[in-house]
């Protein structure tokens, strides 16, 4: 009987929640990367230099980092349904506001506010999952919506450039303006739907029977009690774990490549030849599409440290090859190979981060690692803009990305993954053994 209730309940939970979370994640990533496609026309129309565009891409992460922790505190206070709906509505409004920037200052302000409004979204969704999915189902649930980011990267190019191409001049607005409006409005509508339809917890879900509600609530409560003291590890102890800082440094260096490359990818591809915006959109979809393939292949691996080093090392080699390729075709092929490897490190990284601690301590660990690592978002787009502006070429900008990926490779090879207390316990045990033997 219990097994039947479990299967029925979890089937309903997956069918009800995952499509909504998938849609949230899809538009979350789309509203981050569409600036790269807008730049194909916006930069020329508003006279934005590479330095201006790069800084605007990076300032998003300032607001994001500053407000992530306060945002999560508010989520706990007012509830996930209300707070996630607020995040969606306000970030959608800022995404639409991108269409009406008119100079560098207004561009900076809107991108900063977009980061402010979006702050806390991913950790907030992670908290919401703990209210619905028992531990044995949680990894599948996370995978079900995280993959939406990859689909967004694949579909974002053709979708964004199609809106730019066919919307250009309608009602006196440029194509890039219509793209921001038409990709931001669905996020606002999704926020309104979330406010109206999302259930806060199983006991609030009219779409679950009373027996199903009781089974799910009791299962989750039993898991919370089973966490014991590990659920109350202090932030100070988490911050004192050297593994947190090494993994944050590793992922931060990788994010320089991930955000730097894919925010500038449309302009890099455009630089290969006389291509229309629509052609750029479709060509820009191939590297992240290969990244989806790489994610599926690498996620089957049990080994994480060495494979992290492998994927980031191969990314560094491929992007360097693109920088010095003798022909545009070969340069593009090397960018596609970069996409195959650079995305594949994400499941390995999150799997490794999740293995450090469990329960509330695990959530605090992941949040701290993610917040620290966002320096990669600050460095990546801006550094490429600075190098591109100074040299007039993407060659040394790509080499800059490769250098950070090499750092990520070295950190992956050298970092320790066993907890400090485990090493201390082992040392103490060996010391006692020697003492007793003497």
């Amino acid at each position: 009987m219990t097994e039947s209730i479990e299967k029925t309940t979890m089937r309903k939970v997956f069918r009800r929640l995952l499509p909504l979370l998938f849609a949230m994640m899809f538009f979350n990533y789309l509203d981050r990367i569409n600036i790269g496609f807008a730049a194909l026309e916006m930069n020329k129309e508003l006279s934005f230099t590479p330095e201006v565009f790069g800084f605007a891409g990076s300032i998003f992460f300032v607001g994001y980092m500053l407000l992530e922790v306060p945002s999560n505190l508010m989520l706990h206070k007012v509830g996930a349904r209300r707070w996630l709906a607020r995040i969606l509505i306000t970030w959608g409004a800022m995404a639409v506001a991108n269409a009406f920037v008119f100079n560098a200052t207004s561009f900076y302000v809107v991108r900063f506010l977009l980061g402010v409004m979006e702050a806390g979204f991913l950790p907030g969704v992670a908290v919401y999952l703990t209210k619905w999915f028992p531990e044995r189902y949680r990894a599948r649930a996370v995978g079900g919506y995280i993959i939406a980011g990859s689909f967004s990267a694949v579909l974002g190019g053709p979708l964004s450039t199609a809106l730019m191409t066919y919307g250009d001049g309608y009602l006196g607005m440029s194509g890039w303006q219509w793209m921001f409006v038409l990709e931001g409005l669905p996020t606002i509508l999704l926020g309104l739907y979330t406010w109206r339809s999302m259930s806060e917890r199983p006991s609030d879900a009219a779409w679950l029977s009373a027996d199903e509600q009781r089974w799910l609530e009791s299962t989750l409560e039993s898991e919370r009690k089973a966490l014991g003291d590990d659920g109350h590890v202090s932030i100070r102890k988490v911050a004192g774990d050297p593994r947190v800082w090494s993994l944050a440094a590793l992922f931060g260096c990788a994010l320089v490549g991930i955000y730097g490359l894919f925010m500038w990818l449309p302009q890099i591809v455009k630089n290969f030849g006389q291509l229309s915006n629509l052609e750029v959109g479709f060509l820009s979809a191939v590297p992240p599409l290969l990244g989806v393939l790489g994610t599926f292949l690498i996620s089957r691996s049990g080994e994480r440290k060495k494979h992290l080093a492998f994927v980031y090392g191969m990314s560094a080699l491929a992007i360097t090859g693109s920088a010095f390729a003798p022909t545009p075709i070969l340069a593009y092929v090397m960018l596609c190979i970069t996409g195959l490897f650079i995305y594949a490190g994400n499941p390995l990284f999150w799997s490794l981060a999740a293995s450090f601690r469990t329960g509330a301590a695990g959530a605090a660990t992941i949040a701290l690692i993610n917040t620290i690592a966002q320096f990669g978002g600050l460095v990546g787009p801006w550094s490429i803009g600075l190098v591109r502006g100074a040299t007039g070429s993407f060659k040394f900008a790509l080499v800059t990305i490769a250098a950070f990926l090499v750092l990520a490779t070295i950190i992956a090879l050298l970092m320790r993954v066993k907890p400090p207390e485990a090493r201390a316990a082992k040392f103490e045990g060996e010391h006692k053994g020697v003492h007793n033997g003497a």
Side-chain angles (χ1 to χ4, degrees), residues 55 110 150 176 202 218 233 243 276 282 321 336 365 382 401 430-431:
F55 183 70
V110 169
S150 299
W176 62 268
S218 63
V233 175
R243 300 174 304 161
S276 69
F282 278 95
C336 291
T365 299
W382 194 13
I401 290 177
E430 291 173 349
H431 179 73

Side-chain angles (χ1 to χ4, degrees), residues 62 81 107 292:
V62 176
R81 177 184 65 86
F107 194 26
V292 174

Side-chain angles (χ1 to χ4, degrees), residues 183-313:
E183 291 181 352
L185 283 176
T187 305
I188 298 175
L189 296 176
L190 193 60
L192 295 173
Y193 177 81
T194 297
W195 183 283
R196 182 178 179 84
S197 303
M198 177 183 269
S199 301
E200 183 69 28
R201 56 181 60 83
S203 59
D204 299 331
W207 43 273
L208 289 177
S209 70
D211 287 341
E212 290 165 346
Q213 290 177 356
R214 280 193 294 271
W215 174 83
L216 188 51
E217 289 280 12
S218 63
T219 299
L220 293 168
E221 181 61 26
S222 297
E223 289 188 352
R224 283 191 286 268
K225 290 180 179 179
L227 290 175
D229 292 338
D230 193 46
H232 302 284
V233 175
S234 69
I235 289 292
R236 179 178 296 181
K237 185 172 183 179
V238 171
D241 188 341
R243 300 174 304 161
V244 168
W245 294 94
S246 60
L247 197 58
L250 181 153
F251 197 51
C253 289
L255 286 180
V256 172
I258 294 171
Y259 284 127
L261 175 62
F262 289 104
M263 197 167 286
W264 284 89
L265 184 61
Q267 294 181 67
I268 295 173
V269 172
K270 184 83 169 181
N271 200 51
F272 287 154
Q274 299 298 317
L275 300 170
S276 69
N277 290 338
L278 203 55
E279 289 170 332
V280 170
F282 278 95
L283 289 173
S284 297
V286 178
L289 179 61
L290 290 175
V292 174
L293 174 62
T295 297
F296 280 118
L297 293 177
I298 296 295
S299 63
R300 296 173 177 268
S301 166
E303 169 61 46
R304 291 169 293 194
K305 268 189 53 173
K306 292 180 181 178
H307 282 180
L308 271 173
F310 172 73
V311 296
Y312 293 140

Side-chain angles (χ1 to χ4, degrees), residues 95-402:
V96 171
N98 278 286
F100 305 103
V101 300
F102 53 90
N103 59 19
T105 301
S106 64
F107 194 26
Y108 298 155
V109 170
V110 169
R111 294 305 295 183
F112 174 79
L113 290 177
L114 180 63
V116 168
M117 299 307 176
E118 189 183 316
F121 168 70
L122 286 176
V125 170
V127 170
Y128 183 70
L129 286 181
T130 64
K131 298 181 178 183
W132 286 91
F133 294 92
E135 184 67 33
R136 57 188 176 276
Y137 293 98
R138 210 164 291 160
R140 179 183 163 194
V142 171
Y145 75 84
I146 285 292
I147 195 68
S150 299
F151 280 98
S152 183
V154 173
L155 299 177
L159 175 62
S160 298
T161 52
L163 292 174
M164 289 170 59
T165 299
Y166 299 113
D168 190 40
Y170 184 68
L171 297 180
M173 291 172 60
S174 299
W176 62 268
Q177 292 178 299
W178 278 115
M179 183 209 70
F180 280 129
V181 170
L182 295 177
E183 291 181 352
L185 283 176
T187 305
I188 298 175
L189 296 176
L190 193 60
L192 295 173
Y193 177 81
T194 297
W195 183 283
R196 182 178 179 84
S197 303
M198 177 183 269
S199 301
E200 183 69 28
R201 56 181 60 83
S203 59
D204 299 331
W207 43 273
L208 289 177
S209 70
D211 287 341
E212 290 165 346
Q213 290 177 356
R214 280 193 294 271
W215 174 83
L216 188 51
E217 289 280 12
S218 63
T219 299
L220 293 168
E221 181 61 26
S222 297
E223 289 188 352
R224 283 191 286 268
K225 290 180 179 179
L227 290 175
D229 292 338
D230 193 46
H232 302 284
V233 175
S234 69
I235 289 292
R236 179 178 296 181
K237 185 172 183 179
V238 171
D241 188 341
R243 300 174 304 161
V244 168
W245 294 94
S246 60
L247 197 58
L250 181 153
F251 197 51
C253 289
L255 286 180
V256 172
I258 294 171
Y259 284 127
L261 175 62
F262 289 104
M263 197 167 286
W264 284 89
L265 184 61
Q267 294 181 67
I268 295 173
V269 172
K270 184 83 169 181
N271 200 51
F272 287 154
Q274 299 298 317
L275 300 170
S276 69
N277 290 338
L278 203 55
E279 289 170 332
V280 170
F282 278 95
L283 289 173
S284 297
V286 178
L289 179 61
L290 290 175
V292 174
L293 174 62
T295 297
F296 280 118
L297 293 177
I298 296 295
S299 63
R300 296 173 177 268
S301 166
E303 169 61 46
R304 291 169 293 194
K305 268 189 53 173
K306 292 180 181 178
H307 282 180
L308 271 173
F310 172 73
V311 296
Y312 293 140
M314 290 300 296
S315 299
L317 287 174
I319 203 166
T320 302
S322 179
F324 294 98
T327 65
I329 293 178
L330 184 57
Y332 175 71
V333 169
M334 297 305 292
L335 281 181
C336 291
I337 295 174
T338 303
L340 173 68
F341 287 107
I342 201 168
Y343 268 130
N346 288 355
L348 296 176
F349 164 79
W350 288 113
S351 175
L352 193 58
S355 71
F356 283 2
R357 295 187 188 278
T358 59
T365 299
I366 291 174
L368 184 58
I369 290 172
N370 187 48
T371 300
I372 299 168
Q374 294 305 313
F375 80 82
L378 289 171
V379 173
W382 194 13
S383 63
I384 291 182
L386 291 174
V387 176
R388 162 73 166 161
T391 65
S393 168
F394 280 113
K395 176 182 292 186
F396 294 104
L398 294 178
V399 172
T400 301
I401 290 177

